[in-house]
Structures are given as C-alpha cells and as structure tokens.
C-alpha cells in the first residue's frame, strides 16, 4: 500500500508566495490585493501550523517563516495606509 504524502507544506508555501508577490508588487494597495493577499497569508499560516504538528520538515519550516514574514509586512502596510488616510482627513479638517 502506498504511503500518502502530506502536501500541506507545499500548499502553504504556495500561498505564502502568492501573498509575498501581492505584498511586494504593489497590488496590495488595491481592493483585490487586499481581498486576496491577506487571506492567503493567514490561510497559509494556519495550514503550515497544522502541517508542522503532523510532520515537521524543511519545507514546512520555510513555509512557516515565509507566511509569518509576509503576513506581518502586509498587516504593517495596511496599518500605514490607514494612518496616512487618517492624517490626510485631519489635515482636510484644518482647512
């Protein structure tokens, strides 16, 4: 009987790569980038944590690191955009 291979680390690595591409390509500033990029990072993070519990390997460790980095950077970029929009709204009120 064939042993079933766990593809979760590869899926998580692909989702992390999609989030990384969206984060650093400028698509993050669009609504589509926001609706696709952040969920890809979060879902990739959840999948890789489950994969690490089942069978820790090098691919799952790489996917975990990538998912954490790009999700944090994506979140920081969103926070920065919100801060800029809020400060512009305050400047508009001063006029």
């Amino acid at each position: 009987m064939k042993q079933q291979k766990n593809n979760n680390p590869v899926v998580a690595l692909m989702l992390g790569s999609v989030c990384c591409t969206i984060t650093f390509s400028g698509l993050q500033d669009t609504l589509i980038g926001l609706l696709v990029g952040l969920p890809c990072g979060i879902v990739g993070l959840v999948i890789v944590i489950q994969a690490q519990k089942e069978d820790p390997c090098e691919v799952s460790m790489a996917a975990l690191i990538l998912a954490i980095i790009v999700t944090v950077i994506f979140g920081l970029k969103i926070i920065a955009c919100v801060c800029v929009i809020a400060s512009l709204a305050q400047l508009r009120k001063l006029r």
Side-chain angles (χ1 to χ4, degrees):
M1 193 178 275
K2 288 185 179 181
Q3 187 179 11
Q4 215 174 22
K5 190 173 181 180
N6 188 3
N7 290 329
N8 285 344
V10 177
V11 171
L13 192 61
M14 290 172 57
L15 287 171
S17 298
V18 167
C19 186
C20 185
T21 302
I22 289 172
T23 300
F24 294 113
S25 68
L27 287 175
Q28 184 258 340
D29 300 332
T30 65
L31 184 62
I32 294 172
L34 181 64
L35 293 176
V36 173
L38 194 58
C40 279
I42 293 171
V43 169
L45 195 58
V46 169
I47 290 174
V48 77
I49 289 171
Q50 290 175 348
Q52 278 283 90
K53 289 179 183 176
E54 292 174 10
D55 182 28
C57 64
E58 293 85 15
V59 176
S60 63
M61 182 57 73
L64 178 66
I65 293 169
L66 180 65
I68 289 172
I69 290 172
V70 297
T71 304
V72 167
I73 291 174
F74 201 96
L76 289 175
K77 286 178 86 172
I78 290 172
I79 291 170
C81 288
V82 169
C83 289
V84 168
I85 291 170
S87 64
L88 289 174
Q90 287 296 325
L91 282 175
R92 194 165 195 206
K93 282 183 181 179
L94 293 175
R95 289 184 182 189

